[in-house]
């Protein structure tokens, strides 16, 4: 209990917030890394997912590939890339993108696929182009699932960005490793609490977005 | 790959440790998730709170979880118990929703006629509901298995020995092949356990119509799970 | 003897009255049919017999014994039950489905399977189907298995809830004939719930026509109900005025031909 209080005291101490090594800087860094990784993964995976979901081709390959990527230990990818690319932020960023891609991809194609074939068929019969079908029918109907994929990817990236501090001086995870090395349990715990809170906040935020996106599908239902 | 030749005994030892840590957490997750999920299924009033709690636990990254647990349980940070507890919490959180879904897929008519034939509560659970929820349950257990085997490596960061030790040791000493062996062995372990689960699933679900099996291409042995 | 409903009623917590006040005696070794449209409480009444539903008031007696005092699970094991869509256990083979209740009662699996094979023959199924799973059978075959399963523990009572409602008319007819053959051999006390008056008239010795809320509109033999419907509701429900029920004879080529109200031939009067 005392350790817990010590950790909270450590977080509450204004001295730990300022400067390049301070909580605010590291928090922003953690957020920025997460955001960049998820955005980059989305830029790659959402178009691909839409293509797979719409054409219903190549899903088997993607599922197998995503399964294999999920089996890769994240720490392994981080350390491997760090050895190959050095201790900068590039190595963890690359690892984070690689790890986020399968979740985003799965969300995108599952979302597009979740559109009822009858609705898609009707849209085509009405004379919509394939692009219009994607934009007006499949995307609104699958938006909830797609955002769900982004949510899963974000959680994965926030967690892994914490591990990234093992190989590179990035983000909130650094407090964990400094604390671990110096046997400074309060600092380690403070880092853990900060990361956990950040992850929970982002998860809630994206859960809300997912709800909104799902409602999009329901408001579209029934309208041609 | 001379590194592997010189260290094969160590790799085998770490693989065995890794396997035991993962299996302990997987088995505990499944038992706990079935129990908690069962409660959530049977009592709709606590279902939402339980599922919400599960999504909160699941949202907490593994490493911070690993650090908080010793404080709560009073076990040393470097103890394997810490890791198994953390991964069990994680696995349970990941699986609970699937367990509720799995029980929901059991046909109400089948359940009803089983009760009408004279199945008591215990018999109904063990001999009807549990066997019938295996297909959905198993898909969740496969996800937990692959995820758990990967997460065991994180224990190496706080000094809990597993294949993850090859990752941290290889990084600190700058030996790429050591990390590569660690990654490949972890993946192999995950895929082997997953394969074992698929085989077990086939054995337990022979009663299901085999549409999926027939749809499989002759080349691909990849099972498609959506 | 038989099954007695004594002033039973069922009111749900939200205030819905499924059955208000129902009394009736089903005689042993006979087939009784409860007919009515949805909301008539017929299924509720059926499910009171094996205590799937407990009445809010009144008592159900089997052979003069109040079943409220009996252990639910044991009671169910000595009453056969055939639900609408078979309700077979999808993870058990046909033979194991039939053997379910005897095995629950402690009969050895081998003995129970042996008896199950005999029952499959009794309901007109080939023994080669025994090792199949329910999903590999047609709807009609599944329903035959369900009947065999209900008979497996040699119960005195058989409860059937719209047993042939989910199969097509031709198969339904075959299953009805099969049931009558089985009944001629075994002489069980059977309660069957159906919304199909023709089915009730075909199968039952004793028909109870129900209005909403389990109110008895009329009960008696099919003959007596058709001959003298109690009121306009029964008359309408049993279709006493339907063309195929209002037959006349006419002479054609020296034969007395029976025709319905539309003039379509039904048969020859001897």
């Amino acid at each position: 209990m005392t350790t817990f209080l010590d950790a909270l005291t450590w977080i509450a101490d204004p001295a730990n917030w300022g400067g390049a090594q301070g909580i605010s800087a590291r928090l922003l860094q953690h957020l920025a890394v997460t955001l960049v990784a998820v955005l980059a993964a989305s830029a790659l995976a959402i178009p691909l997912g839409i293509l797979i979901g719409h054409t219903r081709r190549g899903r088997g390959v993607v599922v197998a590939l995503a399964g294999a990527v999920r089996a890769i230990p994240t720490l392994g990818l981080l350390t491997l890339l760090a050895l190959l690319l050095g201790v900068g932020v590039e190595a963890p960023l690359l690892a984070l993108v690689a790890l986020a891609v399968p979740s985003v991809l799965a969300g995108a194609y599952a979302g597009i696929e979740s559109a009822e074939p009858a609705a898609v068929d009707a849209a085509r019969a009405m004379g919509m182009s394939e692009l219009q079908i994607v934009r007006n029918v499949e995307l609104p109907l699958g938006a909830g699932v797609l955002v769900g994929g982004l949510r899963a990817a974000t959680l994965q990236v926030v967690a892994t960005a914490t591990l990234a501090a093992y190989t590179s001086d990035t983000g909130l995870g650094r407090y964990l490793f400094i604390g671990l090395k110096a046997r400074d349990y309060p600092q380690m715990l403070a880092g853990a609490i900060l990361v956990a809170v950040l992850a929970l906040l982002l998860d809630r935020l994206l859960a809300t977005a997912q709800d909104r996106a799902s409602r999009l599908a329901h408001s579209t239902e029934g309208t041609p | 790959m001379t590194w592997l030749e010189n260290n094969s005994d160590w790799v085998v030892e770490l693989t065995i440790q890794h396997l035991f840590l993962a299996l302990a957490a997987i088995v505990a997750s499944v038992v706990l998730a079935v129990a908690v999920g069962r409660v959530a299924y049977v009592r709709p009033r606590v279902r939402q709170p339980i599922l919400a709690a599960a999504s909160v636990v699941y949202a907490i990254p593994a490493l911070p979880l690993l650090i908080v647990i010793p404080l709560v349980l009073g076990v040393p940070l470097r103890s394997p118990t810490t890791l198994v507890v953390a991964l069990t919490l994680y696995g349970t959180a990941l699986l609970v929703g699937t367990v509720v879904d799995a029980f929901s897929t059991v046909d109400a008519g089948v359940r009803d006629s089983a009760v009408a034939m004279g199945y008591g509560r215990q018999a109904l659970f063990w001999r009807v509901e549990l066997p019938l929820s295996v297909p959905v349950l198993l898909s969740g257990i496969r996800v937990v298995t692959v995820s758990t085997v990967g997460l065991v490596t994180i224990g190496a960061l706080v000094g809990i020995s597993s294949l993850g030790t090859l990752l941290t040791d290889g990084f600190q000493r700058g030996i790429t092949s050591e990390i590569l062996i660690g990654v490949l062995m972890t993946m192999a372990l995950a895929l082997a356990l997953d394969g074992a689960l698929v085989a077990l699933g086939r054995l337990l679900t022979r009663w299901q119509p085999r549409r999926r099996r027939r749809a499989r291409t002759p080349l691909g042995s990849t099972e498609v799970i959506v | 003897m038989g099954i007695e409903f004594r002033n039973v009623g069922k009111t749900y917590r939200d205030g819905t009255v499924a059955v208000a006040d129902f009394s009736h005696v089903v005689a042993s070794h006979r087939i009784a049919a409860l007919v009515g449209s949805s909301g008539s409480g017929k299924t509720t009444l059926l499910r009171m017999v094996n205590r799937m539903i407990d009445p809010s008031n009144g008592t159900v007696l089997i052979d003069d014994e109040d079943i409220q005092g009996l252990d639910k699970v044991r009671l169910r094991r000595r009453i056969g039950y055939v639900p609408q869509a078979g309700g077979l256990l999808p993870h058990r083979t046909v033979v194991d489905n039939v053997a379910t209740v005897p095995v629950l009662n402690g009969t050895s699996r081998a003995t129970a399977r042996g008896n199950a094979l005999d029952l499959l023959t009794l309901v007109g199924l080939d023994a080669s189907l025994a090792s199949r799973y329910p999903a590999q059978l047609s709807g009609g075959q599944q329903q035959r298995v369900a009947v065999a399963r209900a008979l497996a523990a040699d119960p005195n009572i058989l409860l059937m809830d719209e047993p042939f409602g989910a199969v097509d008319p031709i198969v339904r007819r075959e299953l009805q004939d099969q049931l009558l053959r089985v009944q001629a051999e075994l002489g069980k006390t059977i309660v069957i719930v159906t919304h199909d008056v023709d089915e009730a008239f075909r199968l039952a010795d004793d028909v109870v026509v129900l209005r909403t809320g389990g109110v008895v509109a009329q009960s008696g033999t099919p003959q007596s109900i058709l001959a003298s419907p109690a009121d306009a509701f029964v008359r309408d429900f049993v279709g006493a005025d339907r063309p195929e029920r209002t037959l006349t004879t006419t002479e054609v080529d020296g034969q007395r031909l029976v025709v319905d109200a539309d003039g379509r031939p039904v048969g020859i009067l001897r």
Side-chain angles (χ1 to χ4, degrees):
Chain A
M1 220 54 231
T2 19
T3 324
F4 210 71
L5 285 178
D6 287 346
L8 291 180
T9 316
W10 190 91
I11 294 175
D13 188 351
N16 290 325
W17 279 81
Q21 308 293 315
I23 295 174
S24 2
R26 290 206 177 276
L27 190 63
L28 279 176
Q29 210 175 23
H30 206 109
L31 265 175
V33 168
T34 303
L35 200 66
V36 169
V38 173
L39 283 180
S42 301
L44 271 169
I46 290 180
L48 188 60
I50 289 175
L51 194 71
I52 291 166
H54 183 71
T55 60
R56 311 208 169 206
R57 274 187 206 155
R59 196 181 66 178
V61 179
V62 170
V63 170
L65 213 67
V69 173
R70 288 213 178 100
I72 299 177
T74 52
L75 185 62
L77 197 60
L78 283 167
T79 47
L80 204 58
L81 286 174
L83 275 196
L84 298 174
L85 301 177
V87 292
V89 78
E90 297 84 1
L93 208 51
L94 198 64
L96 293 178
V97 174
L99 293 171
V101 162
S103 297
V104 181
L105 191 62
Y109 81 67
I112 296 292
E113 262 190 3
S114 74
E116 234 179 282
V120 175
D121 199 57
R124 193 167 286 136
M126 268 183 282
M128 283 195 197
S129 71
E130 296 306 303
L131 215 62
Q132 283 169 325
I133 292 174
V134 169
R135 203 177 51 214
N136 299 331
V137 182
E138 292 176 330
L139 265 181
L141 289 180
V145 181
L146 192 147
V147 177
L150 286 178
R151 182 179 165 197
T154 308
L155 275 188
Q156 166 97 1
V157 169
V158 172
T160 312
T162 316
L163 300 182
Y166 180 66
T167 63
S168 133
D169 184 8
T170 314
L172 291 168
R174 203 66 200 161
Y175 295 128
L176 294 176
F177 292 104
I178 294 170
L180 209 57
K181 201 170 259 175
R183 296 184 183 279
D184 179 355
Y185 214 111
Q187 189 184 140
M188 189 160 68
L189 193 60
I193 292 169
L194 287 170
V195 174
V197 169
L198 177 65
L200 286 173
L201 285 178
L202 283 176
D203 186 53
R204 284 302 97 200
L205 191 74
L206 283 159
T208 312
Q210 196 181 352
D211 275 356
R212 293 260 167 88
S214 301
R215 253 178 257 145
L216 207 61
H218 295 296
S219 64
T220 322
E221 263 168 31
T223 59
Chain B
M1 287 290 118
T2 45
W3 182 89
L4 181 60
E5 279 160 33
N6 296 333
N7 296 278
S8 57
D9 286 351
W10 191 40
V11 172
V12 170
E13 193 190 316
L14 290 175
T15 308
I16 292 170
Q17 282 171 340
H18 196 112
L19 182 67
F20 276 110
L21 287 168
L23 281 180
I26 293 164
V27 170
S29 300
V30 171
V31 172
L32 206 61
V34 168
V36 176
R38 178 73 190 167
V39 172
Y41 173 73
V42 177
R43 301 185 194 284
R45 258 195 299 170
V46 295
R47 188 176 307 165
Q48 272 322 307
I50 286 178
L51 292 181
S55 91
V56 166
V57 171
Y58 183 64
I60 299 172
L63 186 61
L65 203 58
L66 209 54
I67 286 166
V68 174
I69 281 167
L71 280 182
V72 179
L73 293 186
V75 288
L77 178 58
R78 307 178 59 150
S79 141
T81 313
T82 306
L83 184 68
V84 172
V85 170
L87 297 186
T88 301
L89 272 177
Y90 225 55
T92 306
L94 192 57
L95 202 50
V96 158
T98 314
V99 172
V100 175
D101 289 345
F103 284 124
S104 314
T105 57
V106 177
D107 186 88
V110 170
R111 198 191 311 258
D112 189 73
S113 78
V115 173
M117 272 191 293
Y119 275 90
R121 274 168 57 150
Q122 293 283 326
L124 187 69
F125 174 74
W126 291 106
R127 298 200 232 162
V128 178
E129 298 185 289
L130 196 59
L132 288 180
S133 52
V134 162
V136 178
L137 216 53
L138 209 67
S139 69
I141 295 174
R142 290 179 60 190
V143 173
V144 168
T145 298
V146 172
S147 140
T148 302
V149 170
L151 283 173
V152 167
T153 56
I154 288 173
L157 292 172
V158 298
I160 300 161
S161 183
S162 71
L163 286 169
T165 307
L166 298 179
L167 310 178
T168 50
D169 188 71
F171 176 69
Q172 268 148 23
R173 290 161 52 189
I175 307 172
T176 312
S177 51
E178 185 178 350
I179 299 181
L180 212 56
I181 295 293
V183 169
L184 291 177
M185 284 304 291
T186 308
M187 287 178 76
L189 206 56
L191 297 178
L193 287 180
D194 188 48
L197 283 173
V198 171
L200 181 72
R202 291 250 166 89
L203 211 66
L204 291 178
T205 61
R206 274 180 305 181
W207 48 274
Q208 272 200 316
R210 289 288 162 194
R211 263 178 246 112
R212 208 197 275 164
R213 229 185 241 181
R214 248 178 268 138
R216 231 174 47 186
T217 59
L219 283 176
S221 62
T222 50
E223 195 91 0
V224 175
I225 298 290
V226 183
Chain C
M1 294 301 268
I3 305 166
E4 182 180 356
F5 297 89
R6 199 179 280 172
N7 300 106
V8 293
K10 180 70 191 178
T11 308
Y12 287 100
R13 231 182 270 168
D14 62 358
T16 325
V17 179
V19 174
D21 180 3
F22 176 84
S23 295
H24 190 74
V25 178
V26 176
S28 293
H29 315 298
R30 308 285 288 239
I31 302 183
L34 302 174
V35 280
S37 24
S38 64
S40 63
K42 55 189 191 298
T43 298
T44 306
L45 287 168
L46 184 85
R47 288 164 75 86
M48 284 179 185
V49 179
N50 62 352
R51 293 195 58 201
M52 291 296 280
I53 293 175
D54 282 327
S56 322
N57 38 299
T59 44
V60 178
L61 302 101
I62 293 178
D63 294 341
D64 301 321
E65 188 182 17
D66 183 354
I67 62 169
Q68 199 61 37
L70 303 176
D71 179 71
K72 279 185 192 181
V73 170
R74 267 197 224 134
L75 174 73
R76 288 169 190 158
R77 288 185 195 173
R78 60 184 181 90
I79 295 177
Y81 179 74
V82 183
Q84 178 166 14
L88 300 177
L89 300 175
H91 61 306
R92 300 265 176 87
T93 57
V94 165
V95 65
D96 283 337
N97 259 290
V98 177
T100 301
V101 179
V103 169
L104 279 176
N105 281 333
T107 309
S108 81
R109 204 166 278 272
T111 314
R113 281 186 179 152
N115 294 337
L117 290 175
D118 294 341
L119 281 166
L120 288 179
T121 318
L122 181 72
V123 298
L125 282 176
D126 197 278
S128 65
L129 297 176
S131 56
R132 298 233 185 129
Y133 287 99
Q136 298 167 315
L137 303 183
S138 72
Q141 289 171 326
Q142 289 186 19
Q143 219 49 36
R144 286 176 198 264
V145 177
V147 173
R149 182 175 72 170
L151 293 169
D154 196 21
N156 290 324
I157 296 172
L158 208 57
L159 305 177
M160 310 181 91
D161 187 1
E162 303 267 6
F164 312 129
V167 292
D168 67 69
I170 295 170
V171 176
R172 189 179 310 150
R173 182 95 185 188
E174 284 172 18
L175 291 170
Q176 289 166 350
D177 290 342
Q178 185 77 44
L179 180 67
L180 290 171
R181 277 200 293 278
V182 169
Q183 174 66 356
E185 194 170 324
L186 303 179
K188 304 289 183 190
T189 306
I190 301 178
V191 184
I192 182 166
V193 154
T194 178
H195 62 269
D196 178 359
V197 167
D198 295 322
E199 182 168 78
F201 282 2
R202 242 174 93 64
L203 295 177
D205 307 302
D206 172 29
V207 173
V208 182
V209 182
L210 295 167
R211 290 179 211 274
T212 309
V215 177
V216 179
Q218 187 173 5
S219 74
T221 60
Q223 293 83 345
S224 66
I225 291 177
L226 194 56
S228 43
D231 55 23
F233 173 82
V234 178
R235 193 177 182 80
D236 181 54
F237 191 81
V238 303
D241 300 327
R242 278 189 345 226
E244 68 268 29
R245 292 232 202 278
T246 40
L247 309 177
T248 51
T249 57
T250 172
E251 268 206 26
V252 178
D253 295 340
Q255 297 272 17
R256 284 207 289 162
L257 198 63
V258 180
V259 296
D260 68 14
D262 295 331
R264 307 213 174 267
V266 179
I268 290 166
L269 196 67
R270 298 275 183 216

